[in-house]
Amino acid sequence: MRFLSVVLAALAWLSVPTFAQNTPRGSECLAMAERPPRAIPVSLRRTAAKADEVSITYAGHSTYYIDTPGGVTIATDYNGVYKLNRIPDVVTMNRAHSTHYTLNPDPRIKTVLHGWGENGQPAHIHERIGDVLIRNVTTDIRRYYGDDAGGEMMKDGNSIFIFEVAGLCIGHLGHLHHKLDESHFAAIGRLDIVMVPIDGSYTMSLDGISDITKRLRASVVLPMHRFMTPLSDFMQKIGQNFEIDQRTQRTLTISLGALPKRPTVIILDGV
């Protein structure tokens, strides 16, 4: 019987998809991507809404501040200009332009995460800081001005950052310059909230970013990096399957149980 149990266990393991076996340890968002869409009982929705709220505040350009229930503050695409009246514990950066990074961050910031690697190697980030797991998925970027603007794209020069906290999977697409393939979507996994650039030129066309947004199927879409792009243009491209929620506040407070039933584009003040 013991031998039979071992054989059955081995067969069960072999039946698990390869991707699931390779899921980085501790990543709930990747594990959930392999499962059917989750149904959250009403009782759990109420509990989650009270206990595990995450606050997301728009600071400007591509910088959002994420405040976790455990007291960790994260600033995305941080350059030291777009900031709030507090020092973040963690900052993530991308190097497409100087408006997305700084090589001289405030020394009081405890953790600085670059979305690019050194010596031709891609950045590989998988860190648990307090109650949040932070990981990245690299993408390529175009070259600019003094960096051989006509040359090939810089491989792995940008990162999509994913923040896993309070049961939520939050993604920031960074300065995205190209379509995502199946390997990107597999590495990203499931997203509940996604921050997307909608400038329509410096990053990607509105058609391209809209296709990616629809494919990611997040419950909440937070636009950023807008410049002069009319919000109506983005909404027209993204289609009729998304609700529009334009707010007069810069902060969104949300929990797993409070996610909207229909995919919603939430436009915070200042975007």
Side-chain angles (χ1 to χ4, degrees), residues 12-265:
W13 170 248
L14 289 173
S15 68
V16 176
T18 301
F19 176 71
Q21 294 179 31
N22 293 331
T23 296
R25 187 176 180 182
S27 175
E28 295 182 4
C29 301
L30 285 175
M32 286 187 295
E34 291 294 296
R35 302 172 189 163
R38 54 190 166 185
I40 305 171
V42 174
S43 60
L44 291 183
R45 285 178 176 270
R46 291 171 181 162
T47 301
K50 293 179 181 178
D52 295 318
E53 290 184 330
V54 174
S55 292
I56 302 174
T57 303
Y58 184 64
H61 205 55
S62 291
T63 303
Y64 277 93
Y65 273 58
I66 303 170
D67 290 288
T68 77
V72 177
T73 297
I74 304 159
T76 64
D77 272 17
Y78 180 85
N79 70 352
V81 176
Y82 303 101
K83 55 187 179 181
L84 303 180
N85 58 354
R86 58 186 183 276
I87 302 299
D89 302 294
V90 183
V91 297
T92 63
M93 299 181 186
N94 277 303
R95 68 173 180 183
H97 296 292
S98 60
T99 50
H100 296 262
Y101 75 97
T102 174
L103 297 180
N104 298 290
D106 191 308
R108 291 174 292 177
I109 298 171
K110 298 175 183 177
T111 304
V112 176
L113 300 175
H114 290 167
W116 63 94
E118 302 294 338
N119 301 318
Q121 297 300 310
H124 180 71
I125 298 166
H126 189 93
E127 294 191 27
R128 183 166 292 281
I129 300 171
D131 60 339
V132 59
L133 174 67
I134 305 175
R135 56 187 179 85
N136 75 314
V137 175
T138 59
T139 62
D140 302 340
I141 58 171
R142 293 186 297 271
R143 298 174 185 268
Y144 286 97
Y145 306 119
D147 196 19
D148 187 15
E152 294 181 355
M153 295 183 78
M154 296 173 62
K155 186 171 177 56
D156 300 316
N158 177 75
S159 277
I160 295 169
F161 282 94
I162 298 102
F163 311 93
E164 304 187 20
V165 57
L168 291 168
C169 307
I170 304 171
H172 185 284
L173 296 188
H175 211 277
L176 188 61
H177 289 176
H178 60 80
K179 293 181 179 181
L180 302 181
D181 61 28
E182 292 304 317
S183 66
H184 291 113
F185 287 114
I188 292 168
R190 189 185 190 111
L191 292 182
D192 299 302
I193 300 170
V194 62
M195 304 163 188
V196 300
I198 63 167
D199 57 276
S201 56
Y202 291 102
T203 54
M204 292 183 64
S205 68
L206 284 182
D207 285 323
I209 201 66
S210 298
D211 288 344
I212 290 171
T213 302
K214 287 183 280 190
R215 170 65 190 273
L216 288 170
R217 296 184 297 173
S219 296
V220 173
V221 176
L222 296 174
M224 62 179 185
H225 206 261
R226 184 169 78 91
F227 296 105
M228 299 301 292
T229 306
L231 289 167
S232 58
D233 287 1
F234 174 63
M235 296 311 305
Q236 183 179 9
K237 296 289 185 182
I238 205 171
Q240 301 300 314
N241 295 325
F242 288 78
E243 300 287 344
I244 305 173
D245 183 355
Q246 189 158 4
R247 304 192 176 189
T248 57
Q249 302 84 25
R250 280 184 175 254
T251 298
L252 166 69
T253 301
I254 197 163
S255 67
L256 173 63
L259 290 171
K261 294 181 179 179
R262 288 195 63 192
T264 302
V265 177

